Amino acid sequence: MPELPDIENYLACLEPRILGRRLERVRIAGPSLLRSVDPPVAAAEGLRVDSLRRIGKRIAIGLEGGIFLVIHLMVGGRLRWRPRGAVLARRGGLAAFDFEDGTLLLVEAGTKRRATLHVVRGEAGLAAHDPGGLEVFSCDLAAFSERILAENHTLKRTLTDPRILSGIGNAYSDEILHRARLSPVRLTRKLAADEI
């Protein structure tokens, strides 16, 4: 599943391709992807992309007029940049976002369709998709300590809970714990200051 560094890499790659460009058309392959009805997906068509950001493990594409496309890739979802008008694959193709210079394809490996797309209006609509986890790269040690010690959970649960820490999932929590040489079942309130 794409997590914080993966999502940040997607955003870095998307920025030169779609920021400031007009979204001409959205093509959706099936009903399982789109999870919202108001505003309709057609409301995003013809608008310029004016921002890109990460909301937890989601990619938010901000369009002029306060419309946002919120994409959650889940386990098997991936984004691919292709020439303009690229064909949406029958197998695994979920959506195509056509821009003036190319097409952004949303594809998913496997047969289970877990990736989601929400079209929302305004910052309030976007905030509804934010689980509220602390942004670990923009906080100080005191805020980080306070957040992880607020409840007594295992380290694994604390790292993977999006309401506690933003964007860290199963794979990177294992890497973090391995590097720190800490057990995933260790309780947060039993950590020494240097372990935090």
Side-chain angles (χ1 to χ4, degrees):
M1 173 181 293
E3 297 174 18
L4 191 150
D6 309 304
I7 299 299
E8 291 293 339
N9 283 335
Y10 271 127
L11 292 174
C13 291
L14 286 174
E15 185 174 334
R17 290 176 171 88
I18 69 172
L19 192 61
R21 305 287 197 307
R22 189 173 304 283
L23 175 61
E24 295 177 342
R25 191 170 124 202
V26 179
R27 295 178 277 145
I28 298 176
S32 68
L33 178 69
L34 186 61
R35 304 292 174 94
S36 63
V37 294
D38 185 35
V41 73
E45 296 178 341
L47 302 178
R48 285 196 189 281
V49 175
D50 62 15
S51 68
L52 292 165
R53 60 179 113 161
R54 179 181 61 79
I55 306 292
K57 294 186 202 175
R58 294 164 181 81
I59 295 170
I61 300 172
L63 303 161
E64 58 191 357
I67 301 290
F68 292 91
L69 302 175
V70 181
I71 300 169
H72 196 326
L73 297 171
M74 296 299 284
V75 176
R78 300 294 180 263
L79 296 174
R80 296 185 178 148
W81 184 252
R82 296 292 185 251
R84 188 171 186 247
V87 175
L88 193 55
R90 271 190 198 199
R91 187 177 182 136
L94 299 179
F97 304 90
D98 295 317
F99 292 90
E100 51 204 60
D101 297 335
T103 296
L104 181 65
L105 295 177
L106 172 56
V107 298
E108 189 169 16
T111 57
K112 294 184 180 177
R113 298 292 173 241
R114 294 183 177 146
T116 63
L117 170 66
H118 289 85
V119 182
V120 300
R121 190 181 318 274
E123 292 292 330
L126 193 59
H129 293 276
D130 186 353
L134 182 70
E135 292 293 339
V136 294
F137 288 117
S138 61
C139 71
D140 60 11
L141 180 58
F144 179 77
S145 297
E146 181 181 334
R147 182 60 69 102
I148 67 168
L149 296 174
E151 296 179 35
N152 194 27
H153 296 300
T154 64
L155 287 175
K156 180 75 169 183
R157 179 173 175 199
T158 299
L159 289 173
T160 58
D161 188 336
R163 296 164 298 175
I164 298 172
L165 299 173
S166 181
I168 301 172
N170 192 42
Y172 286 109
S173 69
D174 291 341
E175 295 291 326
I176 291 165
L177 292 169
H178 177 73
R179 178 70 187 243
R181 296 183 179 188
L182 292 170
S183 168
V185 295
R186 182 103 178 258
L187 294 173
T188 53
R189 291 198 180 147
K190 296 204 176 204
L191 291 175
D194 62 325
E195 290 174 321
I196 293 172

